[in-house]
Amino acid sequence: MSEPQRRRRAAKPAPNPGLDPDDPLAALGKRLRKIEGLDDLARTYPGRDITVGRQRQQLEFYSDPDRPNAFAMVALEFFFVIAQYYREALPLRLILLLIAGQRAGGRIPLTQDDMAQLLDVPRQNVNAALGEIMGHGIVLKITRGVYQFNPPYSYVAAELVRLSDGSTEYVQVNQADALKELRAEKLPDLVRYPSLQHMREAVDAFREERSRKRRDRQERLKALAEQKEAHGE
C-alpha cells in the first residue's frame, strides 16, 4: 500500500465517537464532534431511533412595561381551598394583590397604605384582612412594608426587571433557596411547614353547621304544619 493511500485511509472519520450513549458521564472531558445533520447523527449511534418534535413556541404572558414577563406559580389546591374558606371578598382580593405584587423570590414590597390605595378600601380593613391571612401562614411580614408569600402557595421564581437605563436584567431566585432561608427563622409551624388542613376542616364544619340549621328549620316547618292540621286549620 502506497504512502498516499495510507494517509487517505487514516483521514477517514470514525463512524462512532467511542462514547457509550447510555453513560452521559463518559462524555465529560471529551471533545465534542460537530454533527452535520440527522443522517450523521443516526450513523453515530446506530440502532437508535431519532425523532424531531415541533419547535417549542415561546410562552405568552400579559405583562406591564415596568415588570416585563413577570408571572407567579400558584398551587391550584391553594386557590381551591381559599375560594371555599373565605366568605368575604376583601381577603380574596388582598391575596390576589399580594400574589401580583411579588418580585423574584416571593418578596412583596407593599405597605398597608399601598394595599388600601390599590384596593380602594380603608386601611383598617386591610389591616384586619392581612392579619387574618398572615394568621393562616399564607403571608409573613419581613420588615416594614415588605412581606413574603409562603413559597409553596405562590412563588415568583424569576422575572425580567427593567433597569433605569432602559435595559432589562433577568433575576432568578431558586424556590429551594428561598425556603431554606425562610425556614432558618423561628416561625410558626403553619409558615415553616404549610398546611391548609385547618381551612379544609373549617369549611367542613361550616357546611355541617349550615346543614344542621337547614334540617332544624325543615323540622320546625313540618311540626308547624302538623300542628295546624291537627287543629283543622
Side-chain angles (χ1 to χ4, degrees):
M1 182 181 297
S2 65
E3 183 63 25
Q5 287 177 324
R6 280 197 293 270
R7 282 201 299 270
R8 282 197 298 272
R9 289 192 177 184
K12 185 178 180 181
N16 193 301
L19 300 178
D20 182 1
D22 294 323
D23 185 9
L25 292 179
L28 293 178
K30 300 288 185 179
R31 186 174 182 179
L32 298 179
R33 183 171 64 83
K34 183 179 179 181
I35 299 296
E36 299 294 344
L38 293 180
D39 290 338
D40 188 23
L41 183 62
R43 285 191 294 269
T44 301
Y45 299 105
R48 287 179 168 263
D49 295 331
I50 299 176
T51 60
V52 179
R54 189 181 69 176
Q55 183 178 3
R56 192 172 290 179
Q57 299 296 317
Q58 183 178 1
L59 295 176
E60 294 185 15
F61 294 97
Y62 181 84
S63 60
D64 184 88
D66 294 331
R67 300 183 65 213
N69 298 329
F71 65 97
M73 300 180 294
V74 185
L76 296 182
E77 181 67 12
F78 171 68
F79 273 152
F80 184 73
V81 172
I82 64 172
Q84 298 175 79
Y85 179 83
Y86 288 108
R87 305 284 161 173
E88 298 179 357
L90 183 56
L92 286 173
R93 293 178 62 204
L94 184 55
I95 288 174
L96 291 176
L97 176 62
L98 295 172
I99 290 174
Q102 292 180 84
R103 309 308 296 255
R107 293 293 170 92
I108 310 165
L110 288 175
T111 66
Q112 291 190 26
D113 287 332
D114 294 332
M115 300 176 198
Q117 182 178 0
L118 289 167
L119 296 178
D120 195 21
V121 295
R123 186 183 184 281
Q124 58 268 26
N125 294 13
V126 168
N127 181 270
L130 184 61
E132 181 182 358
I133 292 170
M134 293 175 61
H136 293 302
I138 296 172
V139 174
L140 62 149
K141 186 175 182 179
I142 300 299
T143 185
R144 180 179 175 83
V146 179
Y147 297 84
Q148 168 77 45
F149 219 106
N150 210 335
Y153 295 146
S154 176
Y155 189 72
V156 174
E159 63 175 326
L160 280 172
V161 178
R162 191 174 299 279
L163 304 179
S164 57
D165 60 0
S167 62
T168 56
E169 179 183 0
Y170 186 74
V171 178
Q172 181 175 0
V173 181
N174 189 284
Q175 188 194 44
D177 295 336
L179 283 169
K180 183 178 180 181
E181 179 183 354
L182 182 63
R183 290 171 178 168
E185 303 294 332
K186 293 182 178 180
L187 299 170
D189 285 345
L190 281 177
V191 176
R192 288 173 56 84
Y193 308 105
S195 173
L196 299 172
Q197 185 59 32
H198 68 290
M199 283 189 169
R200 296 190 187 94
E201 293 172 354
V203 170
D204 291 340
F206 174 80
R207 289 176 174 170
E208 177 59 32
E209 177 66 14
R210 189 169 56 183
S211 296
R212 185 189 64 78
K213 290 181 178 180
R214 187 183 301 114
R215 290 193 301 269
D216 290 346
R217 180 173 178 274
Q218 290 174 348
E219 290 176 359
R220 287 197 302 270
L221 291 175
K222 182 180 178 180
L224 183 59
E226 291 175 349
Q227 184 178 9
K228 288 183 177 180
E229 183 179 355
H231 288 80
E233 298 179 5

